Amino acid sequence: MKIFPNPVLTRDQAAAALDTAVALVRQNLPLFTEHCQNHSSVNDIYPPCENNQWTCGFWPGEIWLAYERTGDEAFKTAALKLADSFSYRIEQKIDVDHHDMGFLYSPSCVAAWKLAGSETGRRAALMAADQLCTRFQEKGSFFQAWGALGAPDNYRFIIDCLLNMPLLYWAGETIGDPRYAELARRHVATCLAHSIRPDGSTYHTFFMDPVTGEPVRGATCQGYKDDSCWARGQAWGVYGVALSYTYTRRPEYLDAFRRVLSYYLERLPQDMVPYWDMIFTDGDEEPRDSSSASIAACGLLEAAKFVSPEESEAYRTLAAQMLFSIADKYAVQEGPAGIGLVRHGTYSKKSPYNTCTPEGVDECVSWGDYFYMEALTRFLTDWQLYW
Ligand code: GLY
């Protein structure tokens, strides 16, 4: 495993960084209690939005993390109000025809249930898990990410979906039904078999044959090109398999974790915050994706719970180095209302070879803010998962 000479975040620095983040969340609370926060900022300031994006769960997750840090009831009140909005969204089926039910409902509603005993949160999260199950494709054994179910041009899964699996594990454990975990097991098996290349890099998306269920081809949407490695997708791989290991203890998930982590580390630039695609590195005139580093740090801190003391120490050191870099050079210290927490994230950058809509390039991104706070909280406490 690659070793870095970089500085390591101390506990005092982590506490100060988390308190700065909490102060920014407090400042932004009036803007984003009746509304949600847009997926990405515009010149580092988030516009408000309706509760209709795949990213809307991250802001309530930040509020719950701020509540855990401070115990301040103002955070709990605002987060519970947002849980009502998420309940309405799943009841009315507003923009839920996609797989991102975990991204939406784990940090908002599972957190509301775990931290405040919210029955509304519990019920909404269970409905969201059922909604995700409707997207399972028997032919090929996977959750279809986007588009009309069964449509040949969208008959595919994406690496990001690993973060939606914990909602299924949680739902199954909560109501005592093994079918949720079984669908997750089948999806993760398909994903690990086809998304991870022999060198440990990952495809962003992977098409299956709707008639035979056989694998067809890997392709990118938000990465630079089909055979490069999208930096956030690789981080979803790192954290996603770690979380599936937590719930299932399947050794092949830990093995996959080590392979995707190894590639990730090899392709990092000197400051350990990747460019938006790992085809780029030091010296390239390309934007970073700071959110990828925070997601990877969470994966390292999760996996560190389950490995030998030596490996665990190595993972915690890597996470502390990544977090030092983000806290030192990327994190916002102060700014006007609506400002994000971490600069230099990239949502979707257009390339000559990819199919994404360009959005949020070199901006704050809501999941980047959330996972930065989660990673700092993990670093400082024995954190109970929202996932
Ligand atoms: N899950 C979509 C993204 O990471 O942009």
Side-chain angles (χ1 to χ4, degrees):
M1 190 169 56
K2 187 166 174 188
I3 292 175
F4 292 79
N6 299 32
V8 173
L9 194 74
T10 65
R11 280 191 73 79
D12 284 353
Q13 288 167 336
L18 185 55
D19 288 341
T20 299
V22 167
L24 293 171
V25 172
R26 187 187 294 283
Q27 172 183 289
N28 290 345
L29 210 52
L31 274 181
F32 306 121
T33 299
E34 304 299 335
H35 289 90
C36 288
Q37 186 184 66
N38 197 50
H39 47 70
S40 47
S41 65
V42 178
N43 298 324
D44 296 339
I45 308 288
Y46 286 107
C49 70
E50 295 307 311
N51 193 348
N52 59 12
Q53 301 180 356
W54 73 269
T55 52
C56 289
F58 297 114
W59 167 250
E62 290 167 55
I63 301 175
W64 283 119
L65 290 167
Y67 174 63
E68 289 205 70
R69 177 74 179 157
T70 61
D72 185 336
E73 291 290 313
F75 289 124
K76 182 170 153 187
T77 303
L80 287 175
K81 196 165 220 178
L82 284 160
D84 288 341
S85 164
F86 278 80
S87 177
Y88 182 78
R89 179 170 176 177
I90 193 70
E91 278 170 9
Q92 301 299 317
K93 301 255 187 297
I94 298 167
D95 286 291
V96 291
D97 287 331
H98 56 80
H99 69 152
D100 278 330
M101 295 304 108
F103 279 124
L104 282 169
Y105 282 86
S106 296
S108 59
C109 288
V110 174
W113 161 244
K114 287 187 174 176
L115 295 174
S118 165
E119 284 294 340
T120 301
R122 179 181 185 274
R123 188 173 152 274
L126 289 171
M127 288 176 72
D130 286 339
Q131 174 70 13
L132 175 53
C133 290
T134 67
R135 297 195 68 84
F136 191 79
Q137 294 292 3
E138 287 294 335
K139 285 259 171 62
S141 288
F142 67 95
F143 289 101
Q144 186 183 325
W146 306 312
L149 282 171
D153 61 340
N154 254 321
Y155 205 73
R156 60 175 154 174
F157 55 89
I158 71 174
I159 188 84
D160 323 29
C161 192
L162 289 170
L163 270 286
N164 293 319
M165 298 299 97
L167 182 67
L168 299 180
Y169 303 127
W170 170 82
E173 286 180 3
T174 298
I175 60 172
D177 185 339
R179 285 177 297 180
Y180 295 91
E182 177 57 11
L183 291 186
R185 185 195 63 74
R186 291 174 63 191
H187 174 87
V188 175
T190 306
C191 177
L192 298 192
H194 305 302
S195 298
I196 305 177
R197 306 183 185 108
D199 66 356
S201 67
T202 53
Y203 290 113
H204 179 196
T205 89
F206 201 96
F207 285 94
M208 306 295 277
D209 187 309
V211 177
T212 65
E214 290 298 311
V216 178
R217 70 183 171 93
T220 203
C221 173
Q222 287 158 271
Y224 182 70
K225 55 183 183 167
D226 288 348
D227 62 358
S228 69
C229 179
W230 179 44
R232 191 159 62 259
Q234 194 73 11
W236 292 140
V238 168
Y239 193 16
V241 287
L243 285 170
S244 274
Y245 183 80
T246 302
Y247 277 98
T248 67
R249 308 297 164 101
R250 289 180 171 275
E252 68 268 28
Y253 296 173
L254 210 45
D255 174 58
F257 173 84
R258 293 186 179 109
R259 286 187 285 132
V260 292
L261 175 66
S262 174
Y263 182 90
Y264 189 80
L265 298 177
E266 287 299 331
R267 296 297 307 167
L268 285 179
Q270 187 274 330
D271 78 351
M272 302 176 81
V273 175
Y275 290 79
W276 66 281
D277 189 292
M278 302 197 106
I279 200 169
F280 305 115
T281 191
D282 284 313
D284 285 315
E285 298 284 321
E286 292 286 338
R288 309 281 182 134
D289 180 16
S290 55
S291 74
S292 172
S294 292
I295 296 162
C298 288
L300 284 159
L301 294 172
E302 184 62 17
K305 297 175 187 169
F306 304 110
V307 293
S308 70
E310 295 73 29
E311 195 174 357
S312 178
E313 188 51 38
Y315 290 173
R316 289 190 64 83
T317 299
L318 286 164
Q321 290 172 316
M322 291 172 187
L323 288 172
F324 179 91
S325 203
I326 301 169
D328 189 43
K329 294 264 165 37
Y330 295 78
V332 171
Q333 299 303 316
E334 57 182 8
I339 194 149
L341 274 52
V342 185
R343 292 193 171 89
H344 307 301
T346 291
Y347 181 5
S348 294
K349 185 168 190 290
K350 192 80 192 96
S351 86
Y353 312 107
N354 72 18
T355 56
C356 72
T357 306
E359 297 195 87
V361 176
D362 201 17
E363 289 286 349
C364 304
V365 291
S366 59
W367 57 91
D369 294 355
Y370 168 79
F371 285 107
Y372 175 59
M373 287 185 74
E374 183 189 306
L376 291 170
T377 305
R378 283 174 168 279
F379 188 76
L380 289 166
T381 66
D382 183 16
W383 183 66
Q384 190 196 0
L385 302 177
Y386 303 165
W387 302 101

